[in-house]
Amino acid sequence: MNRIQMVVFDWAGTTVDYGSAAPGQVFEKVFKDAGITLTREEINRPMGMEKKAHIRALLSGEAGSRQWKESHGRDWTEEDVETLYQRFEEQLHEIVAEYSVPIAGTVEAVEELRQKGIRIGSTTGYTSQMMEQVIPRAAELGYRPDCVATPDVTGSGRPGPFMLFECMRQMEVYPPCAVVKAGDTVVDIQEGKNAGAWSVGILTGSNLVGLTEEEAAAMAPDELERRREKAAEAYRKAGADLVIGSIRELPEAVEKINSWMAGEEAHHESLL
């Protein structure tokens, strides 16, 4: 039992949709239509949470709460959250499939893990209805996890552990230390740690680095490295056991964790 039996991936920014472009773009438009202009960094900060919780976080931030009051002459309410969420859901539904392209290396890494007998789970901040658009598109392009857990089905999103536990239940995998949670946001790391699983942060394509594929390719190498190191530090601060450069390195990360579990190597935070 001293080996990893399942890897649970996040979706947008981890396995598909480089940089979480779809939700970021829709949040920006929905809030702009409501009189609030937010930076990409402000929009990305709560990424990975259930989407109503994400909206509440944006409205509760200094910029969001101030601009809402200026535009509407009052504090925001739960009714406003519901209205913004409905607009977000409608607009995301229109574009999310086209953004659900696997990030480079995802299909190969998943295949390598499966060859080792490892199950592939997934959790997300999207609802099951949103995922009806995402799952078929990703499958057409070669990425098919064994299970998908959503916050509307479990009744709880990140940073709570219950979507990860749902993957464990469906795949009959236990204990939690036999599971790796891999993701691109702080709440992904927290989800894994709160479940008692191992947590791995991925840099390439991540919401935390906060770049499109084109922006990353065009950026000066030293500036790109600075942004990646800042993201790596945020992962470590959240409790990540490992931070890796790209999803391609996930099989290697699993082997490292296996060696820690077998007592062959001292466990310490590290950058693969």
Side-chain angles (χ1 to χ4, degrees), residues 74-91:
R74 58 174 176 79
D75 292 330
W76 61 271
T77 66
E78 275 301 306
E79 193 175 331
D80 298 320
V81 171
E82 189 61 38
T83 299
L84 290 169
Y85 176 76
Q86 292 302 326
R87 291 174 186 162
F88 173 84
E89 194 172 48
E90 287 164 12
Q91 293 182 33

Side-chain angles (χ1 to χ4, degrees), residues 68-267:
W68 182 273
K69 201 172 284 188
E70 288 169 359
S71 294
H72 299 267
R74 58 174 176 79
D75 292 330
W76 61 271
T77 66
E78 275 301 306
E79 193 175 331
D80 298 320
V81 171
E82 189 61 38
T83 299
L84 290 169
Y85 176 76
Q86 292 302 326
R87 291 174 186 162
F88 173 84
E89 194 172 48
E90 287 164 12
Q91 293 182 33
L92 185 77
H93 193 270
E94 292 172 9
I95 67 164
V96 71
E98 67 187 85
Y99 282 87
S100 299
V101 175
I103 292 170
T106 296
V107 173
E108 295 81 0
V110 165
E111 180 56 30
E112 191 174 337
L113 290 168
R114 282 204 167 112
Q115 286 173 4
K116 298 173 187 288
I118 293 171
R119 296 295 191 96
I120 306 299
S122 67
T123 65
T124 178
Y126 288 167
T127 63
S128 51
Q129 188 176 17
M130 293 171 190
M131 290 306 293
E132 287 172 6
Q133 301 292 312
V134 176
I135 294 167
R137 178 63 175 150
E140 282 173 16
L141 298 170
Y143 174 55
R144 300 173 183 82
D146 299 320
C147 65
V148 182
T150 59
D152 57 311
V153 171
T154 60
S156 178
R158 303 170 183 140
F162 301 106
M163 292 192 294
L164 193 149
F165 289 156
E166 176 61 16
C167 289
M168 291 174 59
R169 186 192 69 79
Q170 288 188 32
M171 296 294 100
E172 297 186 353
V173 169
Y174 59 89
C177 66
V179 178
V180 169
K181 175 64 208 292
D184 72 302
T185 68
V186 164
V187 290
D188 281 306
I189 303 301
Q190 292 169 335
E191 176 184 33
K193 300 314 289 183
N194 287 335
W198 301 88
S199 283
V200 176
I202 301 173
L203 293 172
T204 298
S206 74
N207 160 79
L208 268 186
V209 174
L211 298 170
T212 66
E213 199 162 3
E214 294 74 23
E215 287 168 341
M219 186 169 281
D222 58 341
E223 173 60 13
L224 180 59
E225 185 52 38
R226 187 192 68 76
R227 290 183 74 127
R228 286 167 67 91
E229 184 47 48
K230 183 181 176 185
E233 186 53 39
Y235 285 140
R236 294 188 197 105
K237 195 172 178 182
D241 297 287
L242 277 171
V243 179
I244 59 177
S246 83
I247 198 168
R248 298 177 193 276
E249 297 165 44
L250 212 282
E252 184 187 347
V254 167
E255 286 308 313
K256 181 175 276 289
I257 292 168
N258 283 337
S259 72
W260 290 340
M261 292 172 74
E264 297 164 2
E265 186 182 339
H267 170 217

Side-chain angles (χ1 to χ4, degrees), residues 20-34:
S20 290
Q25 180 181 313
V26 175
F27 275 128
E28 181 181 10
K29 185 174 188 313
V30 164
F31 273 80
K32 191 166 281 185
D33 290 346

